[in-house]
Amino acid sequence: QRLEQLDLLAEPAVIVADNVLKPGAPYHVWRISTMPHYRTDIIDLREFGSAPVEDWMTVSWVTRGETYGKAAEERRELTALARESDRFRLRAMATSMKDLVG
């Protein structure tokens, strides 16, 4: 949304996002799934270096339209999910740092 508001996206633009399922990017997925100026494919794939772990990547084509630059409808459940995904991300980062440092 911020890139749209600052008029930094070309017309049309392609936005690619990785790791949107794990650790998660619920606000991003909600926005690109509910705003009509996005046409999005969600790609199911296996996480690099960890074949059994499922993840998603999104590829979105953005065009200017009536909803361009505006906020998506907010949902209480989405905020809770975003907080939970942030906790997962922090936990994963802490584990990575522990493995790195020893």
XYZ file of all heavy atoms in Angstrom:
820
model
N 0.830 -1.184 0.000
C 0.000 0.000 0.000
C 0.880 1.254 0.000
O 0.590 2.207 -0.709
C -0.933 -0.015 1.194
C -1.771 1.239 1.291
C -2.636 1.261 2.539
O -2.792 0.267 3.222
N -3.181 2.399 2.826
N 1.939 1.222 0.794
C 2.801 2.403 0.870
C 3.459 2.708 -0.474
O 3.574 3.869 -0.867
C 3.860 2.202 1.969
C 4.644 3.427 2.262
C 3.783 4.457 2.990
N 4.597 5.602 3.316
C 4.191 6.860 3.178
N 2.988 7.137 2.776
N 4.997 7.844 3.475
N 3.894 1.670 -1.189
C 4.486 1.881 -2.509
C 3.482 2.521 -3.465
O 3.844 3.368 -4.282
C 4.999 0.564 -3.086
C 6.180 -0.077 -2.365
C 6.475 -1.444 -2.969
C 7.393 0.820 -2.406
N 2.226 2.126 -3.337
C 1.169 2.713 -4.168
C 0.964 4.181 -3.810
O 0.880 5.049 -4.685
C -0.144 1.954 -3.980
C -0.098 0.526 -4.492
C -1.364 -0.256 -4.139
O -2.398 0.370 -3.825
O -1.311 -1.487 -4.177
N 0.901 4.478 -2.517
C 0.675 5.847 -2.067
C 1.802 6.787 -2.493
O 1.568 7.955 -2.793
C 0.511 5.888 -0.546
C -0.753 5.241 -0.062
C -0.788 5.086 1.455
O 0.238 5.075 2.117
N -1.989 4.960 1.988
N 3.023 6.269 -2.538
C 4.178 7.077 -2.942
C 4.366 7.085 -4.459
O 5.316 7.686 -4.957
C 5.447 6.552 -2.261
C 5.493 6.708 -0.745
C 6.703 6.007 -0.162
C 5.475 8.187 -0.361
N 3.478 6.399 -5.164
C 3.509 6.334 -6.630
C 4.831 5.764 -7.150
O 5.420 6.269 -8.099
C 3.241 7.718 -7.236
C 2.762 7.618 -8.673
O 2.161 6.590 -9.025
O 3.014 8.559 -9.439
N 5.300 4.697 -6.493
C 6.574 4.084 -6.855
C 6.426 2.842 -7.734
O 7.439 2.266 -8.133
C 7.363 3.731 -5.584
C 7.816 4.920 -4.751
C 8.488 4.457 -3.476
C 8.743 5.820 -5.549
N 5.203 2.429 -8.018
C 4.998 1.243 -8.853
C 4.721 1.654 -10.287
O 3.977 2.602 -10.551
C 3.823 0.410 -8.325
C 3.997 -0.181 -6.930
C 2.731 -0.909 -6.510
C 5.185 -1.126 -6.889
N 5.344 0.937 -11.215
C 5.100 1.181 -12.639
C 3.688 0.725 -12.984
O 3.023 0.050 -12.205
C 6.119 0.407 -13.477
N 3.237 1.093 -14.152
C 1.900 0.682 -14.622
C 2.062 -0.184 -15.857
O 2.505 0.321 -16.889
C 1.073 1.922 -14.946
C -0.206 1.652 -15.683
C -1.296 1.035 -14.826
O -1.290 1.200 -13.609
O -2.153 0.381 -15.397
N 1.799 -1.470 -15.823
C 1.471 -2.272 -14.645
C 2.746 -2.700 -13.920
O 3.829 -2.606 -14.467
C 0.768 -3.491 -15.243
C 1.417 -3.670 -16.579
C 1.762 -2.265 -17.049
N 2.597 -3.174 -12.702
C 3.724 -3.648 -11.898
C 3.522 -5.116 -11.557
O 2.397 -5.600 -11.513
C 3.834 -2.833 -10.610
N 4.627 -5.799 -11.323
C 4.590 -7.178 -10.850
C 5.287 -7.208 -9.498
O 6.407 -6.717 -9.354
C 5.299 -8.148 -11.825
C 5.308 -9.564 -11.267
C 4.635 -8.110 -13.191
N 4.605 -7.777 -8.500
C 5.160 -7.888 -7.148
C 5.269 -9.366 -6.807
O 4.279 -10.107 -6.899
C 4.270 -7.167 -6.126
C 4.204 -5.681 -6.444
C 4.783 -7.400 -4.703
C 3.244 -4.912 -5.573
N 6.467 -9.794 -6.406
C 6.716 -11.185 -6.028
C 7.068 -11.198 -4.545
O 7.911 -10.418 -4.099
C 7.868 -11.795 -6.856
C 8.140 -13.231 -6.419
C 7.547 -11.735 -8.347
N 6.417 -12.061 -3.785
C 6.701 -12.182 -2.347
C 6.910 -13.651 -2.001
O 6.155 -14.513 -2.429
C 5.553 -11.608 -1.531
N 7.934 -13.919 -1.223
C 8.271 -15.277 -0.796
C 7.977 -15.421 0.695
O 7.860 -14.429 1.413
C 9.748 -15.532 -1.075
C 10.121 -17.011 -0.975
O 9.216 -17.863 -0.879
O 11.330 -17.316 -1.003
N 7.845 -16.647 1.150
C 7.624 -16.967 2.573
C 6.347 -16.349 3.119
O 6.304 -15.910 4.264
C 8.823 -16.537 3.422
C 10.092 -17.236 3.012
O 10.094 -18.429 2.733
N 11.170 -16.502 2.937
N 5.297 -16.314 2.325
C 4.054 -15.699 2.791
C 3.201 -16.647 3.632
O 2.281 -16.193 4.303
C 3.222 -15.096 1.629
C 3.994 -14.010 0.920
C 2.759 -16.158 0.662
N 3.530 -17.944 3.611
C 2.826 -18.892 4.493
C 3.618 -19.095 5.773
O 3.065 -19.018 6.867
C 2.597 -20.223 3.779
C 1.903 -21.312 4.593
C 0.500 -20.862 5.005
C 1.828 -22.607 3.803
N 4.914 -19.361 5.650
C 5.780 -19.578 6.816
C 7.012 -18.728 6.653
O 7.750 -18.907 5.690
C 6.158 -21.053 6.922
C 4.980 -21.922 7.279
C 5.375 -23.357 7.385
C 4.132 -24.178 7.688
N 4.297 -25.545 7.411
N 7.291 -17.818 7.514
C 6.592 -17.531 8.752
C 5.267 -16.800 8.562
O 4.467 -16.729 9.477
C 7.576 -16.678 9.537
C 8.426 -16.028 8.518
C 8.488 -16.985 7.368
N 5.047 -16.251 7.405
C 3.730 -15.683 7.140
C 3.730 -14.191 6.910
O 4.532 -13.460 7.472
N 2.802 -13.777 6.057
C 2.597 -12.358 5.773
C 1.101 -12.145 5.573
O 0.636 -11.872 4.476
C 3.378 -11.949 4.526
N 0.320 -12.306 6.645
C -1.134 -12.274 6.497
C -1.687 -10.964 5.953
O -2.625 -10.981 5.160
C -1.669 -12.565 7.898
C -0.524 -12.407 8.817
C 0.717 -12.597 8.020
N -1.116 -9.821 6.339
C -1.619 -8.547 5.812
C -1.405 -8.471 4.294
O -2.276 -8.033 3.555
C -0.928 -7.354 6.475
C -1.392 -7.066 7.876
C -0.497 -7.017 8.927
C -2.738 -6.819 8.154
C -0.919 -6.743 10.223
C -3.167 -6.543 9.439
C -2.258 -6.505 10.473
O -2.670 -6.229 11.734
N -0.230 -8.893 3.867
C 0.077 -8.866 2.431
C -0.870 -9.786 1.658
O -1.457 -9.372 0.656
C 1.533 -9.283 2.198
C 1.872 -9.486 0.763
N 2.006 -8.437 -0.120
C 2.072 -10.620 0.042
C 2.283 -8.924 -1.320
N 2.337 -10.237 -1.246
N -1.029 -11.016 2.116
C -1.895 -11.968 1.416
C -3.342 -11.472 1.409
O -4.041 -11.563 0.397
C -1.788 -13.383 2.030
C -2.782 -14.332 1.389
C -0.365 -13.924 1.858
N -3.795 -10.907 2.511
C -5.156 -10.364 2.579
C -5.342 -9.237 1.566
O -6.309 -9.193 0.826
C -5.453 -9.870 3.995
C -6.785 -9.207 4.135
C -7.018 -7.866 4.251
C -8.071 -9.831 4.158
N -8.370 -7.636 4.361
C -9.037 -8.824 4.301
C -8.492 -11.161 4.075
C -10.393 -9.083 4.358
C -9.845 -11.421 4.134
C -10.779 -10.395 4.270
N -4.388 -8.330 1.527
C -4.494 -7.184 0.624
C -4.538 -7.622 -0.834
O -5.420 -7.218 -1.585
C -3.327 -6.232 0.854
C -3.364 -5.029 -0.061
C -2.280 -4.012 0.287
N -2.326 -2.893 -0.622
C -3.260 -1.966 -0.654
N -4.251 -1.996 0.210
N -3.221 -0.982 -1.530
N -3.594 -8.469 -1.232
C -3.542 -8.854 -2.648
C -4.676 -9.796 -3.036
O -4.957 -9.956 -4.218
C -2.174 -9.462 -3.029
C -1.928 -10.764 -2.268
C -1.055 -8.451 -2.809
C -0.703 -11.516 -2.688
N -5.325 -10.385 -2.061
C -6.448 -11.286 -2.344
C -7.793 -10.573 -2.369
O -8.744 -11.077 -2.953
C -6.507 -12.398 -1.295
O -5.341 -13.158 -1.323
N -7.887 -9.415 -1.729
C -9.185 -8.749 -1.609
C -9.300 -7.454 -2.397
O -10.411 -6.977 -2.606
C -9.510 -8.438 -0.131
O -8.523 -7.557 0.403
C -9.573 -9.712 0.694
N -8.189 -6.882 -2.803
C -8.229 -5.612 -3.527
C -8.331 -5.893 -5.026
O -7.500 -6.629 -5.580
C -6.989 -4.778 -3.214
C -6.820 -4.440 -1.736
S -8.129 -3.414 -1.062
C -7.567 -1.804 -1.547
N -9.316 -5.312 -5.702
C -9.560 -5.641 -7.110
C -8.485 -5.188 -8.089
O -8.451 -5.677 -9.218
C -10.896 -4.968 -7.417
C -11.123 -3.979 -6.347
C -10.335 -4.417 -5.158
N -7.586 -4.305 -7.680
C -6.543 -3.886 -8.615
C -5.346 -4.841 -8.642
O -4.380 -4.614 -9.353
C -6.097 -2.437 -8.353
C -5.470 -2.199 -7.027
N -6.192 -2.042 -5.873
C -4.170 -2.078 -6.682
C -5.370 -1.831 -4.870
N -4.137 -1.852 -5.327
N -5.439 -5.934 -7.869
C -4.429 -6.992 -7.893
C -4.997 -8.230 -8.583
O -6.133 -8.624 -8.336
C -4.033 -7.409 -6.469
C -3.131 -6.436 -5.760
C -3.651 -5.471 -4.912
C -1.757 -6.494 -5.919
C -2.828 -4.582 -4.247
C -0.926 -5.603 -5.255
C -1.469 -4.659 -4.427
O -0.648 -3.786 -3.772
N -4.184 -8.840 -9.418
C -4.476 -10.179 -9.949
C -3.315 -11.032 -9.477
O -2.157 -10.766 -9.820
C -4.561 -10.166 -11.474
C -4.986 -11.504 -12.050
C -5.201 -11.438 -13.546
N -4.039 -10.953 -14.270
C -3.031 -11.718 -14.697
N -3.037 -13.022 -14.467
N -2.021 -11.182 -15.355
N -3.613 -12.046 -8.660
C -2.560 -12.758 -7.934
C -2.627 -14.260 -8.151
O -3.705 -14.855 -8.146
C -2.675 -12.461 -6.423
O -2.526 -11.052 -6.220
C -1.628 -13.200 -5.620
N -1.454 -14.859 -8.292
C -1.291 -16.316 -8.256
C -0.551 -16.649 -6.971
O 0.461 -16.004 -6.645
C -0.474 -16.825 -9.446
C -1.225 -16.730 -10.760
O -2.476 -16.754 -10.734
O -0.568 -16.649 -11.806
N -1.061 -17.635 -6.238
C -0.370 -18.136 -5.051
C 0.245 -19.474 -5.438
O -0.458 -20.382 -5.882
C -1.320 -18.281 -3.854
C -1.875 -16.907 -3.472
C -0.591 -18.923 -2.666
C -2.892 -16.931 -2.347
N 1.549 -19.570 -5.284
C 2.295 -20.750 -5.716
C 2.700 -21.557 -4.494
O 3.367 -21.043 -3.589
C 3.532 -20.322 -6.530
C 3.080 -19.482 -7.729
C 4.344 -21.535 -6.963
C 4.156 -18.638 -8.323
N 2.290 -22.807 -4.479
C 2.627 -23.738 -3.403
C 3.968 -24.374 -3.750
O 4.145 -24.918 -4.838
C 1.532 -24.803 -3.314
C 1.793 -25.854 -2.261
O 2.573 -25.592 -1.335
O 1.214 -26.955 -2.373
N 4.921 -24.280 -2.826
C 6.231 -24.874 -3.077
C 6.828 -25.391 -1.786
O 6.272 -25.191 -0.715
C 7.156 -23.846 -3.743
C 7.215 -22.446 -3.114
C 8.272 -22.360 -2.058
C 7.431 -21.426 -4.193
N 7.933 -26.064 -1.909
C 8.653 -26.584 -0.745
C 9.782 -25.624 -0.407
O 10.437 -25.085 -1.296
C 9.217 -27.975 -1.022
C 8.154 -28.995 -1.358
C 7.266 -29.237 -0.162
N 6.071 -29.973 -0.566
C 4.889 -29.786 -0.062
N 4.696 -28.897 0.878
N 3.857 -30.478 -0.461
N 9.993 -25.405 0.868
C 11.016 -24.479 1.326
C 12.394 -24.993 0.922
O 12.704 -26.164 1.073
C 10.928 -24.308 2.845
C 11.836 -23.266 3.414
C 11.554 -21.875 2.892
O 10.380 -21.501 2.725
O 12.529 -21.154 2.615
N 13.240 -24.105 0.412
C 14.586 -24.468 -0.017
C 15.363 -25.049 1.159
O 15.390 -24.472 2.241
C 15.325 -23.243 -0.570
C 16.728 -23.532 -0.995
C 16.978 -24.199 -2.179
C 17.796 -23.167 -0.195
C 18.268 -24.483 -2.580
C 19.095 -23.439 -0.581
C 19.329 -24.103 -1.772
N 15.990 -26.198 0.949
C 16.792 -26.838 1.991
C 15.976 -27.608 3.002
O 16.528 -28.196 3.925
N 14.662 -27.623 2.856
C 13.799 -28.341 3.795
C 12.583 -28.852 3.029
O 11.476 -28.318 3.164
C 13.391 -27.418 4.940
O 12.629 -28.124 5.894
N 12.797 -29.872 2.227
C 11.778 -30.369 1.301
C 10.414 -30.641 1.926
O 9.396 -30.371 1.292
C 12.293 -31.617 0.590
N 10.300 -31.153 3.151
C 8.958 -31.430 3.669
C 8.178 -30.193 4.131
O 6.998 -30.282 4.431
C 9.197 -32.373 4.845
C 10.612 -32.212 5.230
C 11.342 -31.692 4.028
N 8.817 -29.024 4.176
C 8.159 -27.817 4.688
C 7.478 -27.064 3.545
O 8.129 -26.597 2.620
C 9.170 -26.893 5.405
C 8.491 -25.620 5.874
C 9.809 -27.630 6.578
N 6.152 -26.951 3.627
C 5.386 -26.230 2.619
C 5.488 -24.724 2.854
O 5.513 -24.260 3.982
C 3.920 -26.653 2.676
C 3.039 -25.919 1.691
C 1.569 -26.254 1.830
O 1.176 -26.859 2.844
O 0.820 -25.892 0.921
N 5.537 -23.984 1.771
C 5.503 -22.525 1.843
C 4.772 -22.011 0.614
O 4.460 -22.776 -0.285
C 6.917 -21.945 1.917
C 6.940 -20.540 2.493
O 5.855 -19.972 2.748
O 8.037 -19.993 2.686
N 4.493 -20.718 0.599
C 3.845 -20.086 -0.538
C 4.671 -18.915 -1.014
O 5.354 -18.254 -0.242
C 2.471 -19.541 -0.182
C 1.438 -20.526 0.190
C 1.469 -21.894 0.041
C 0.187 -20.235 0.798
N 0.319 -22.453 0.513
C -0.491 -21.449 0.984
C -0.431 -19.064 1.197
C -1.753 -21.512 1.550
C -1.687 -19.130 1.764
C -2.335 -20.344 1.932
N 4.561 -18.670 -2.303
C 5.092 -17.474 -2.928
C 3.927 -16.846 -3.681
O 3.082 -17.559 -4.215
C 6.223 -17.853 -3.895
C 6.823 -16.689 -4.630
S 8.140 -17.209 -5.755
C 9.479 -17.378 -4.592
N 3.847 -15.524 -3.689
C 2.788 -14.860 -4.448
C 3.403 -14.059 -5.585
O 4.476 -13.480 -5.449
C 1.939 -13.920 -3.572
O 2.778 -12.906 -3.006
C 1.227 -14.679 -2.467
N 2.706 -14.070 -6.714
C 3.055 -13.232 -7.855
C 1.810 -12.426 -8.167
O 0.750 -12.987 -8.462
C 3.484 -14.067 -9.078
C 3.828 -13.156 -10.251
C 4.655 -14.982 -8.732
N 1.920 -11.108 -8.064
C 0.765 -10.222 -8.246
C 1.026 -9.227 -9.360
O 2.098 -8.620 -9.420
C 0.477 -9.441 -6.963
O 0.237 -10.309 -5.882
N 0.029 -9.049 -10.210
C 0.050 -8.028 -11.242
C -0.839 -6.890 -10.746
O -1.988 -7.101 -10.397
C -0.472 -8.583 -12.560
C 0.467 -9.598 -13.148
C 1.409 -9.365 -14.110
C 0.579 -10.984 -12.820
N 2.087 -10.527 -14.401
C 1.602 -11.536 -13.615
C -0.085 -11.822 -11.907
C 1.967 -12.873 -13.541
C 0.284 -13.150 -11.831
C 1.298 -13.653 -12.639
N -0.276 -5.691 -10.705
C -0.968 -4.537 -10.129
C -1.275 -3.530 -11.237
O -0.393 -3.172 -12.017
C -0.095 -3.840 -9.059
C -0.880 -2.744 -8.366
C 0.447 -4.839 -8.062
N -2.525 -3.092 -11.281
C -2.912 -2.010 -12.187
C -3.588 -0.921 -11.365
O -4.131 -1.183 -10.296
C -3.880 -2.507 -13.280
O -4.999 -3.129 -12.655
C -3.202 -3.497 -14.208
N -3.542 0.269 -11.853
C -4.190 1.370 -11.134
C -5.699 1.246 -11.308
O -6.182 0.958 -12.379
C -3.690 2.706 -11.646
C -2.229 2.876 -11.329
C -1.656 4.117 -11.967
N -0.222 4.067 -11.858
C 0.468 4.725 -10.947
N -0.144 5.488 -10.080
N 1.778 4.624 -10.895
N -6.391 1.453 -10.231
C -7.840 1.375 -10.264
C -8.417 2.140 -9.092
O -7.699 2.835 -8.365
N -9.686 1.980 -8.884
C -10.389 2.722 -7.841
C -9.823 2.470 -6.448
O -9.810 3.356 -5.594
C -11.868 2.331 -7.874
C -12.754 3.220 -7.058
C -14.213 2.859 -7.242
O -14.668 2.777 -8.394
O -14.882 2.653 -6.212
N -9.339 1.245 -6.190
C -8.837 0.901 -4.857
C -7.333 1.108 -4.712
O -6.792 0.913 -3.624
C -9.172 -0.568 -4.526
O -8.594 -1.411 -5.526
C -10.674 -0.779 -4.458
N -6.651 1.505 -5.765
C -5.197 1.684 -5.754
C -4.802 2.705 -4.680
O -5.327 3.814 -4.625
C -4.733 2.157 -7.135
C -3.244 2.196 -7.313
C -2.537 1.070 -7.691
C -2.533 3.372 -7.115
C -1.173 1.101 -7.881
C -1.159 3.422 -7.301
C -0.483 2.289 -7.682
O 0.875 2.306 -7.862
N -3.870 2.312 -3.797
C -3.380 3.198 -2.752
C -4.237 3.256 -1.502
O -3.869 3.884 -0.521
N -5.388 2.590 -1.530
C -6.281 2.611 -0.372
C -6.032 1.392 0.511
O -5.523 0.382 0.063
C -7.735 2.637 -0.829
C -8.086 3.897 -1.589
C -9.525 3.915 -1.978
C -9.825 5.212 -2.727
N -11.173 5.231 -3.259
N -6.429 1.505 1.768
C -6.266 0.398 2.713
C -7.307 -0.681 2.453
O -8.437 -0.385 2.062
C -6.407 0.915 4.142
N -6.900 -1.919 2.677
C -7.849 -3.035 2.606
C -8.695 -3.022 3.870
O -8.310 -2.467 4.900
C -7.105 -4.361 2.479
N -9.853 -3.653 3.805
C -10.726 -3.749 4.975
C -9.988 -4.463 6.100
O -9.383 -5.504 5.893
C -11.981 -4.539 4.597
C -12.934 -4.748 5.746
C -14.098 -5.657 5.376
O -14.278 -5.958 4.192
O -14.815 -6.067 6.305
N -10.023 -3.889 7.280
C -9.344 -4.489 8.433
C -10.234 -5.523 9.094
O -11.450 -5.340 9.183
C -8.968 -3.403 9.441
C -7.996 -2.408 8.855
C -6.794 -2.200 9.723
O -6.654 -2.875 10.750
O -5.995 -1.339 9.353
N -9.630 -6.588 9.555
C -10.341 -7.655 10.273
C -9.592 -7.967 11.560
O -8.365 -8.080 11.567
C -10.403 -8.929 9.419
C -11.136 -8.799 8.112
C -12.624 -8.979 8.362
N -13.403 -8.753 7.177
C -14.068 -9.705 6.541
N -14.036 -10.935 6.973
N -14.784 -9.397 5.483
N -10.314 -8.128 12.632
C -9.716 -8.448 13.931
C -8.938 -9.764 13.871
O -7.860 -9.885 14.424
C -10.814 -8.540 14.988
C -10.283 -8.669 16.391
C -11.384 -8.643 17.417
N -12.468 -7.780 16.950
C -13.680 -7.737 17.464
N -13.975 -8.497 18.480
N -14.607 -6.943 17.001
N -9.499 -10.746 13.166
C -8.842 -12.051 13.049
C -7.501 -11.916 12.330
O -6.538 -12.620 12.637
C -9.721 -13.046 12.276
C -11.071 -13.295 12.896
C -12.139 -12.300 12.425
O -11.811 -11.303 11.742
O -13.316 -12.517 12.762
N -7.431 -11.010 11.380
C -6.202 -10.793 10.630
C -5.108 -10.228 11.529
O -3.950 -10.641 11.449
C -6.477 -9.841 9.469
C -5.343 -9.579 8.503
C -4.905 -10.864 7.831
C -5.771 -8.555 7.475
N -5.474 -9.318 12.405
C -4.506 -8.750 13.343
C -3.959 -9.826 14.267
O -2.747 -9.896 14.516
C -5.150 -7.611 14.160
O -5.608 -6.612 13.246
C -4.161 -7.000 15.142
N -4.817 -10.698 14.762
C -4.371 -11.795 15.628
C -3.439 -12.740 14.872
O -2.412 -13.172 15.402
C -5.573 -12.559 16.170
N -3.775 -13.043 13.628
C -2.936 -13.918 12.818
C -1.584 -13.268 12.535
O -0.545 -13.930 12.575
C -3.651 -14.252 11.503
C -2.959 -15.231 10.577
C -2.738 -16.580 11.263
C -3.796 -15.417 9.315
N -1.576 -11.970 12.284
C -0.317 -11.260 12.037
C 0.570 -11.305 13.278
O 1.785 -11.511 13.172
C -0.598 -9.817 11.634
N -0.010 -11.131 14.439
C 0.776 -11.205 15.684
C 1.371 -12.596 15.869
O 2.531 -12.742 16.259
C -0.099 -10.839 16.880
C -0.371 -9.376 16.981
C -1.141 -9.040 18.233
N -1.457 -7.622 18.258
C -2.596 -7.127 18.664
N -3.534 -7.907 19.139
N -2.789 -5.825 18.649
N 0.566 -13.616 15.588
C 1.052 -14.986 15.730
C 2.188 -15.262 14.740
O 3.203 -15.861 15.107
C -0.090 -15.978 15.507
C 0.296 -17.409 15.768
C -0.878 -18.359 15.645
O -2.030 -17.903 15.531
O -0.631 -19.572 15.657
N 2.052 -14.811 13.508
C 3.121 -15.036 12.529
C 4.382 -14.274 12.919
O 5.491 -14.760 12.707
C 2.661 -14.690 11.115
O 2.462 -13.322 10.964
N 4.235 -13.091 13.518
C 5.408 -12.351 13.998
C 6.121 -13.120 15.105
O 7.358 -13.157 15.150
C 5.008 -10.965 14.511
C 4.663 -10.003 13.397
O 5.012 -10.286 12.223
O 4.031 -8.965 13.683
N 5.349 -13.755 15.995
C 5.964 -14.574 17.055
C 6.734 -15.745 16.455
O 7.846 -16.058 16.887
C 4.900 -15.079 18.031
C 4.466 -14.035 19.042
C 3.672 -14.642 20.187
N 2.441 -15.290 19.768
C 1.268 -14.683 19.600
N 1.165 -13.385 19.818
N 0.203 -15.343 19.227
N 6.157 -16.406 15.442
C 6.853 -17.507 14.769
C 8.153 -17.014 14.138
O 9.189 -17.668 14.217
C 5.979 -18.143 13.684
C 4.899 -19.028 14.214
C 3.619 -18.927 13.698
C 5.134 -19.965 15.198
C 2.601 -19.741 14.169
C 4.135 -20.780 15.677
C 2.861 -20.672 15.162
N 8.082 -15.854 13.482
C 9.259 -15.304 12.809
C 10.361 -15.000 13.836
O 11.519 -15.339 13.626
C 8.868 -14.035 12.050
C 9.957 -13.454 11.215
C 9.563 -12.242 10.375
N 8.245 -11.677 10.505
C 7.152 -12.070 9.834
N 7.224 -13.069 8.981
N 5.991 -11.481 10.015
N 9.996 -14.387 14.958
C 10.982 -14.077 15.995
C 11.579 -15.341 16.596
O 12.780 -15.412 16.842
C 10.349 -13.211 17.088
C 10.015 -11.782 16.670
C 9.211 -11.086 17.763
C 11.284 -11.009 16.339
N 10.749 -16.346 16.799
C 11.233 -17.616 17.336
C 12.210 -18.273 16.357
O 13.251 -18.783 16.752
C 10.054 -18.553 17.616
C 10.418 -19.714 18.508
C 9.221 -20.568 18.891
N 8.112 -19.769 19.361
C 6.831 -20.060 19.142
N 6.493 -21.139 18.484
N 5.878 -19.288 19.598
N 11.883 -18.232 15.070
C 12.762 -18.814 14.047
C 14.087 -18.056 13.983
O 15.156 -18.666 13.852
C 12.073 -18.800 12.690
N 14.020 -16.734 14.094
C 15.245 -15.940 14.065
C 16.114 -16.241 15.282
O 17.337 -16.362 15.169
C 14.904 -14.457 14.001
C 14.372 -14.025 12.664
S 13.713 -12.329 12.598
C 14.862 -11.390 13.541
N 15.503 -16.384 16.435
C 16.255 -16.681 17.655
C 16.924 -18.051 17.543
O 18.083 -18.212 17.932
C 15.333 -16.635 18.871
N 16.224 -19.020 16.995
C 16.788 -20.359 16.806
C 17.958 -20.308 15.836
O 18.996 -20.921 16.078
C 15.709 -21.335 16.298
O 14.654 -21.378 17.247
C 16.278 -22.725 16.100
N 17.801 -19.558 14.750
C 18.883 -19.417 13.771
C 20.106 -18.783 14.401
O 21.238 -19.214 14.155
C 18.435 -18.587 12.577
O 17.432 -19.251 11.870
N 19.912 -17.766 15.206
C 21.034 -17.086 15.860
C 21.706 -18.007 16.860
O 22.938 -18.039 16.954
C 20.568 -15.809 16.551
C 20.139 -14.714 15.586
S 21.420 -14.257 14.415
C 22.642 -13.560 15.502
N 20.912 -18.782 17.581
C 21.470 -19.727 18.558
C 22.322 -20.761 17.853
O 23.420 -21.091 18.304
C 20.342 -20.396 19.332
C 20.799 -21.339 20.405
C 19.630 -21.953 21.136
C 20.096 -22.969 22.137
N 18.976 -23.680 22.743
N 21.837 -21.275 16.699
C 22.604 -22.252 15.935
C 23.882 -21.636 15.378
O 24.927 -22.289 15.315
C 21.767 -22.814 14.778
C 20.627 -23.696 15.258
O 20.660 -24.128 16.429
O 19.706 -23.948 14.457
N 23.807 -20.369 14.999
C 24.965 -19.682 14.428
C 26.035 -19.421 15.481
O 27.208 -19.632 15.258
C 24.508 -18.362 13.788
C 25.547 -17.549 13.071
C 26.091 -18.320 11.868
C 24.973 -16.219 12.621
N 25.588 -18.973 16.663
C 26.516 -18.606 17.729
C 26.973 -19.830 18.516
O 28.108 -19.910 18.942
C 25.866 -17.562 18.673
C 26.762 -17.251 19.847
C 25.528 -16.309 17.899
N 26.057 -20.766 18.698
C 26.430 -21.987 19.393
C 25.964 -22.095 20.754
O 25.611 -21.649 21.660
